Amino acid sequence: PEMAQELADEIKESYEPEVAAKEEEKVLHRALCDNCEKIIMGVRYKCIQCDDFDLCEDCEGANSGHDATHVFAKLKTTEQTIPKPSKPASECDVVAPQEESEKEEPSPAQPEVISPEMQEKLDTLNAMGFTDANRNMQLIRDNNGDMEAVLDQLL
């Protein structure tokens, strides 16, 4: 932690004073951006489908070179955690951004949108060690959101 803080201080000193003041408000994450390879300060974007793929605020977006079908968690603090990824980093392909003319038409099947309430329940189960998100989601649905009934089935 001390070495990381020293590095962060060196980075801050290289900016003009008003920029350095803004940087002091940003969180220093223990992660490197997989695009620009800089230490991530501020918001950390972590791919929830890959083992170890992170982007900084500057690199996050459509031209990041990462699989456009993957979902990223927006981590604002170092205390935030996410469930384990669904596939290892070795299976995570980095793809070149496509030109507008090369982009494929979106498929009719849209990914499922998880409500904040469902996500909170999934996060709770994950924190308890129940990491199979698909199973957890199905149990939550089957039990109409009754977490006691879900836990009874998991235990």
Side-chain angles (χ1 to χ4, degrees):
E2 288 180 23
M3 189 171 107
Q5 186 60 49
E6 289 173 11
L7 182 58
D9 291 342
E10 287 178 31
I11 292 170
K12 289 177 193 174
E13 289 172 11
S14 68
Y15 292 107
E16 293 184 27
E18 56 272 1
V19 174
K22 288 180 185 176
E23 292 294 325
E24 286 178 19
E25 299 170 10
K26 292 188 173 187
V27 174
L28 177 67
H29 293 273
R30 292 183 181 177
L32 293 177
C33 174
D34 286 296
N35 192 35
C36 68
E37 298 183 357
K38 294 179 183 174
I39 293 175
I40 298 176
M41 290 185 68
V43 177
R44 174 183 177 188
Y45 293 88
K46 181 156 188 64
C47 179
I48 64 170
Q49 288 149 296
C50 296
D51 239 356
D52 183 19
F53 193 90
D54 304 283
L55 293 171
C56 66
E57 292 176 274
D58 294 333
C59 295
E60 184 274 333
N63 293 324
S64 69
H66 195 65
D67 188 330
T69 64
H70 285 202
V71 177
F72 281 78
K74 184 177 184 179
L75 305 176
K76 295 180 180 180
T77 69
T78 57
E79 291 81 27
Q80 291 176 306
T81 60
I82 58 171
K84 291 184 179 184
S86 60
K87 66 181 186 176
S90 61
E91 294 179 25
C92 184
D93 299 322
V94 175
V95 295
Q98 294 178 329
E99 295 296 323
E100 285 297 322
S101 61
E102 296 176 14
K103 290 186 179 177
E104 297 176 18
E105 290 297 316
S107 64
Q110 295 296 318
E112 179 179 357
V113 176
I114 299 173
S115 71
E117 182 179 293
M118 174 67 83
Q119 187 61 55
E120 183 178 340
K121 290 176 181 183
L122 289 170
D123 291 344
T124 299
L125 292 171
N126 187 64
M128 298 170 101
F130 302 107
T131 59
D132 185 342
N134 290 330
R135 180 174 184 230
N136 294 344
M137 193 177 309
Q138 190 60 50
L139 288 170
I140 292 167
R141 284 192 190 114
D142 292 348
N143 291 287
N144 297 317
D146 181 349
M147 290 298 282
E148 283 187 39
V150 170
L151 288 171
D152 284 344
Q153 289 184 310
L154 288 169
L155 297 173

